[in-house]
């Protein structure tokens, strides 16, 4: 007997133990785990198939910035062995194939309703059910509501430039790319934005377009991905060591195989430091292993200077190189891994425009007009990021006890408060996965997804065994958690830079740092301790 059968007091035809959102990595693992544990589940997905972020993002050049053997599920050794990764950093098509493989293997699609959005989810205190309203006008109920929406994809940020809709060419956002190949051949293309997405798409468009104009507001750090095909022997070894690797990942600070050395960047000679920097740069993908790059300004400066020296070496035109020099603390915006990003500015068909110096005034029918001149374009690409972390949740009218809207409760993002990044006081039987105040946005998100889903399933099992109907974070536990999130962030340099992590990329969005920076290993340990203590900090009734 499932929860729905046990306690339903409504006359709704469709009532589930759990309703979740999104056919991405979280939603899929949620379906699989809930089914295995004997719960009924329905997932609603706005897209036409599984994939989540990897379904919507299809821009040329897209690769994950986490290595393939870390960015994959570890819940099933059989699955792990059946799938063979081909590159160090998997491309979007390869990840999407993997996700489809998982969905097929575990027959997950039958619990997903595609092409459907959840518009609203209201907690019904009388019936102790979530009432879920869909965009097709129907509604369903569920005992638990788990908005596995991800932190980015469903809320792309297209800046509200004057004249945007007057543009006569085609325009795209990197987060909502057409399935069909976009042909830039022979075209004058503009790209606005130079974050992770811009830095990946720019080199690819430059190869194809007649001319590419890049509109850069803030120069960002990029390090070479060092991507390559995987050697069969390496793949064999990785497959042979599943248990050990899973253990390593689960006990790591960043959810992958990288390890720091217990040494400050300032505790070594300049020569030794430069050797470590060169070696990290050559290998690609990784950072120098010193333990204080993100906590000590001077240490951070040493690597920032090193990257700036690389930009000077790579980019032939000193004026262009100067424009590309980042001047914030290295790594305090998410580090972009790219292939030939800085090299692209040596091409004759690429122009870099500094829009901090000469801001965009408007989009015209013919292109982009800055305060200096108009750039004529046939196509425009917005690599302008996302209303991250809160944006995807705020698109849904989520209301907890007493009809209080999540948006109001969190004061439009100005006062985010969660318990362990998993639950919100005043919102009973709601869980988040890789959500606000968890570590997901700064580490390997997939490991956080697995950890959160497993914690939630254990929790539901506990409630079922104990005959408990509702679980809700206590306000004081949530306040303490938010305090520790802020303390961990304030001990780093991350809070000193404006980024999508702080909310600064969206005009008028309140600033904060709603991400747990204490490390994935510590986070896991805290979540486990809470569960071991009978879900300390939660009210159970
Ligand atoms: O978005 P971003 P993203 N006028 O917010 C600029 C993940 N990801 O899509 O810095 C002009 O980082 C903005 O300028 P500024 C990853 O976690 C992963 O690139 O705000 N410009 C910036 O240059 C990543 O961090 C992968 O001054 C405007 C850019 O647009 C996250 O997604 C690949 C503007 C936005 O950069 C987001 O990355 C891609 C305006 N009004 C993404 N508004 C991989 O796994 C914004 N910008 C490899």
């Amino acid at each position: 007997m499932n929860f729905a059968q046990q306690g339903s007091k409504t006359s709704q035809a469709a009532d589930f133990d759990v309703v979740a959102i999104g056919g991405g990595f979280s939603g899929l693992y949620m379906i699989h785990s809930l089914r295995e544990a004997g719960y009924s589940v329905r997932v609603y997905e706005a897209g036409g198939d599984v994939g989540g972020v990897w379904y919507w993002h299809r821009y040329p050049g897209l690769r994950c910035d986490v290595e393939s053997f870390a960015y994959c599920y570890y819940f099933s050794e059989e699955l792990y062995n059946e799938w063979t990764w081909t590159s160090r950093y998997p491309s979007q098509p390869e990840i999407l194939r993997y996700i489809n493989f998982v969905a097929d293997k575990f027959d997950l699609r039958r619990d997903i309703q595609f092409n459907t959005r959840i518009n609203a989810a209201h907690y019904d205190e009388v019936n102790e059910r979530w009432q879920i309203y869909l965009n097709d006008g129907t509604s369903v109920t569920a005992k638990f509501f788990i908005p596995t929406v991800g932190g980015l994809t469903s809320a792309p940020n297209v800046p509200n430039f004057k004249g945007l809709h007057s543009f006569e060419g085609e325009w795209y956002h990197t987060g909502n790319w057409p399935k069909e190949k976009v042909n830039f051949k022979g075209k004058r293309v503009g790209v606005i934005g130079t974050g992770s997405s811009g830095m990946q798409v720019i080199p690819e468009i430059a190869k194809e377009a007649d001319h590419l104009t890049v509109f850069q507001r803030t120069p960002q750090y990029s390090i070479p991905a060092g991507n390559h095909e995987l050697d069969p022997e390496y793949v064999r070894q990785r497959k042979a060591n599943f248990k050990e690797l899973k253990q390593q990942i689960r006990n790591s600070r960043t959810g992958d195989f990288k390890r720091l050395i217990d040494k400050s960047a300032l505790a070594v000679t300049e020569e030794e430091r430069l050797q470590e920097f060169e070696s990290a740069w050559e290998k690609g993908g990784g950072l120098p292993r010193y333990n204080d790059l993100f906590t000590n300004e001077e240490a951070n400066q040493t690597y920032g200077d090193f990257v700036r020296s690389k930009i000077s070496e790579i980019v032939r035109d000193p004026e262009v190189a100067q424009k590309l020099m980042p001047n914030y603390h290295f790594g305090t915006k998410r580090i972009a891994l790219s292939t030939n990003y800085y090299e692209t500015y040596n091409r004759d068909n690429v122009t870099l425009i500094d829009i901090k110096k000469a801001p965009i005034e408007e989009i015209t029918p013919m292109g982009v007009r800055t305060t200096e001149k108009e750039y004529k374009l046939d196509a425009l690409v917005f690599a302008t990021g996302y209303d991250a972390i809160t944006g995807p949740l705020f698109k849904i009218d989520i209301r907890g006890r007493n009809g209080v809207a999540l948006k109001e409760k969190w004061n439009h993002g100005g006062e985010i408060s969660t318990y362990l990044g998993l639950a919100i006081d005043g919102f009973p039987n709601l869980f988040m996965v890789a959500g606000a105040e968890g570590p997901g946005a700064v580490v390997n998100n997939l490991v956080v997804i697995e950890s959160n889903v497993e914690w939630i399933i254990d929790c539901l099992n506990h409630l079922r065994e104990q005959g408990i109907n509702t679980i809700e974070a206590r306000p004081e536990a949530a306040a303490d958690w938010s305090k520790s999130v802020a303390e961990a962030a304030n001990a780093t340099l991350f809070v000193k830079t404006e980024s999508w992590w702080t909310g600064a990329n969206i005009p008028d969005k309140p600033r904060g740092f709603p991400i747990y920076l204490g490390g994935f290993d510590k986070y896991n340990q805290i979540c486990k301790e809470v569960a071991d203590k009978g879900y300390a900090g939660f009210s159970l009734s």
Side-chain angles (χ1 to χ4, degrees):
M1 189 188 284
N2 62 29
F3 267 126
Q5 288 163 330
Q6 263 176 12
S8 176
K9 296 177 200 158
T10 87
S11 56
Q12 284 291 325
D15 184 39
F16 302 94
D17 287 330
V18 175
V19 160
I21 307 180
F25 276 112
S26 312
L28 294 186
Y29 187 35
M30 190 55 86
I31 294 174
H32 176 68
S33 311
L34 286 165
R35 260 195 216 159
E36 294 274 291
Y39 301 102
S40 63
V41 52
R42 170 61 53 89
V43 164
Y44 295 95
E45 162 59 58
D49 206 343
V50 294
V53 61
W54 304 103
Y55 173 88
W56 297 103
H57 288 63
R58 295 162 182 267
Y59 61 78
L62 174 55
R63 279 181 192 279
C64 186
D65 57 6
V66 179
E67 293 197 27
S68 48
F69 272 96
Y71 195 75
C72 60
Y73 287 125
Y74 270 85
F75 70 82
S76 159
E77 186 165 1
E78 188 180 283
L79 165 66
Y80 179 85
N81 281 322
E82 279 173 3
W83 182 262
T84 299
W85 293 106
T86 65
S87 337
R88 180 180 178 197
Y89 290 101
S91 66
Q92 177 270 341
E94 186 167 14
I95 300 172
L96 195 56
R97 281 198 298 279
Y98 172 71
I99 295 174
N100 275 276
F101 179 80
V102 174
D104 291 341
K105 178 176 169 61
F106 298 107
D107 186 20
L108 300 176
R109 285 188 186 80
R110 71 181 151 90
D111 285 323
I112 307 176
Q113 184 172 320
F114 293 104
N115 302 305
T116 308
R117 279 182 190 280
I118 292 179
N119 284 341
H122 297 171
Y123 188 64
D124 169 355
E125 292 181 55
V126 176
N127 291 300
E128 294 177 331
R129 282 282 180 289
W130 280 92
Q131 186 82 35
I132 318 277
Y133 300 93
L134 309 173
N135 68 342
D136 62 7
T138 63
S139 76
V140 298
T141 56
K143 187 163 182 70
F144 296 94
F145 176 50
I146 307 186
T148 40
V149 283
L152 299 167
T153 315
S154 62
N157 166 40
V158 179
N160 190 19
F161 288 118
K162 184 178 157 202
L164 174 62
H165 296 286
S166 72
F167 183 56
E168 288 172 0
E170 321 126 38
W171 66 266
Y172 309 92
H173 188 282
T174 44
N176 192 359
W177 200 263
K179 278 189 183 161
E180 307 70 43
K181 179 181 161 28
V182 177
N183 187 5
F184 292 118
K185 237 190 171 99
K187 293 188 177 153
R188 297 162 301 177
V189 184
V191 174
I192 303 178
T194 54
S196 298
S197 306
M199 285 175 163
Q200 288 190 329
V201 82
I202 284 164
E204 294 302 311
I205 296 179
K207 283 189 228 162
E208 198 181 315
D210 188 41
H211 193 89
L212 172 65
T213 307
V214 177
F215 298 91
Q216 171 194 267
R217 188 164 69 179
T218 309
Q220 296 199 29
Y221 294 97
S222 171
I223 57 173
N227 183 50
H228 54 74
E229 297 289 294
L230 289 176
D231 174 49
E233 177 52 22
Y234 173 85
V235 172
R236 196 196 61 72
Q237 278 179 19
R238 290 269 135 177
K239 288 199 173 186
N241 288 305
F242 171 80
K243 288 194 176 62
E244 191 196 322
L245 295 173
K246 179 174 179 174
Q247 188 76 358
Q248 265 186 38
I249 282 203
R250 292 278 173 108
N251 294 319
S252 67
R253 194 175 163 77
T254 49
D256 55 25
F257 305 114
K258 293 173 191 154
R259 293 292 176 274
L260 296 177
I261 42 179
D262 193 18
K263 214 181 241 186
S264 159
L266 305 173
V268 296
T269 63
E270 190 177 353
E271 195 188 351
E272 192 183 324
R273 192 164 55 229
L274 280 176
Q275 250 173 28
E276 169 71 13
F277 289 176
E278 283 290 354
S279 143
W281 186 270
E282 273 310 303
K283 197 166 159 256
L287 295 178
R289 294 164 299 154
Y290 300 117
N291 63 10
D292 59 349
L293 284 187
F294 299 116
T295 50
N296 180 317
E297 297 204 8
E298 214 185 314
N300 184 285
Q301 172 96 15
T302 60
Y303 196 61
D305 286 345
F306 174 80
V307 178
R308 281 183 283 275
S309 74
K310 286 290 177 193
I311 298 172
S312 289
E313 272 173 35
I314 296 168
V315 180
R316 286 197 291 267
D317 181 333
E319 249 181 65
V320 177
Q322 198 50 44
K323 277 193 217 167
L324 287 165
M325 298 289 175
N327 64 3
Y328 56 92
H329 296 302
F330 174 83
T332 52
K333 284 175 184 268
R334 181 148 172 150
I335 300 155
L337 298 195
S338 60
T339 303
N340 294 332
Y341 176 67
Y342 293 122
E343 287 82 349
T344 296
Y345 293 96
N346 291 332
R347 296 179 65 107
D348 293 338
N349 69 335
V350 176
T351 310
L352 177 65
I353 306 301
D354 177 355
I355 52 168
K356 206 155 235 167
K357 191 163 146 245
I360 294 175
E361 278 192 333
E362 63 175 327
I363 310 287
T364 67
M366 304 300 287
V368 170
R369 189 198 308 282
T370 69
T371 50
E372 269 174 3
K373 67 177 268 200
E374 182 178 17
Y375 298 86
K376 301 253 166 62
L377 303 169
D378 305 305
L380 191 48
V381 173
F382 290 94
T384 40
Y386 302 86
D387 181 357
I389 304 174
T390 50
L393 284 176
F394 288 170
K395 287 180 81 173
I396 305 162
D397 177 23
I398 299 174
R399 289 173 190 267
R401 280 198 197 283
N402 305 315
V404 171
L406 181 61
K407 204 170 180 171
E408 302 303 324
K409 157 102 181 147
W410 281 357
N411 192 13
H412 301 264
E415 288 168 46
I416 295 172
S417 178
T418 77
Y419 185 36
L420 307 174
L422 282 163
I424 305 162
D425 70 276
F427 292 75
N429 291 2
L430 178 150
F431 292 108
M432 295 180 294
V433 172
E437 295 194 335
V442 290
V443 305
N444 173 9
N445 200 36
L446 195 34
V447 184
V448 181
I449 288 171
E450 281 199 333
S451 160
N452 281 173
V453 170
E454 287 164 17
W455 189 96
I456 292 167
I457 300 295
D458 287 346
C459 176
L460 297 195
N461 290 341
H462 174 81
L463 302 182
R464 182 169 58 184
E465 280 155 25
Q466 303 294 317
I468 294 164
N469 267 329
T470 60
I471 179 165
E472 185 175 351
R474 291 178 189 273
E476 62 279 12
D480 284 351
W481 178 251
S482 298
K483 197 164 152 243
S484 64
V485 169
E487 277 168 8
N490 289 334
T492 71
L493 302 173
F494 286 86
V495 289
K496 298 192 179 222
T497 299
E498 305 220 307
S499 68
W500 64 259
W501 289 328
T502 67
N505 62 326
I506 302 295
D508 303 327
K509 187 169 174 174
R511 306 292 162 86
F513 202 94
I515 302 163
Y516 180 68
L517 290 184
F520 172 67
D521 44 0
K522 188 164 171 208
Y523 172 77
N524 252 348
Q525 193 192 325
I526 295 170
C527 292
K528 183 175 180 312
E529 279 167 17
V530 165
D532 290 347
K533 287 183 189 153
Y535 296 90
F538 285 96
S539 298
L540 309 177
S541 58

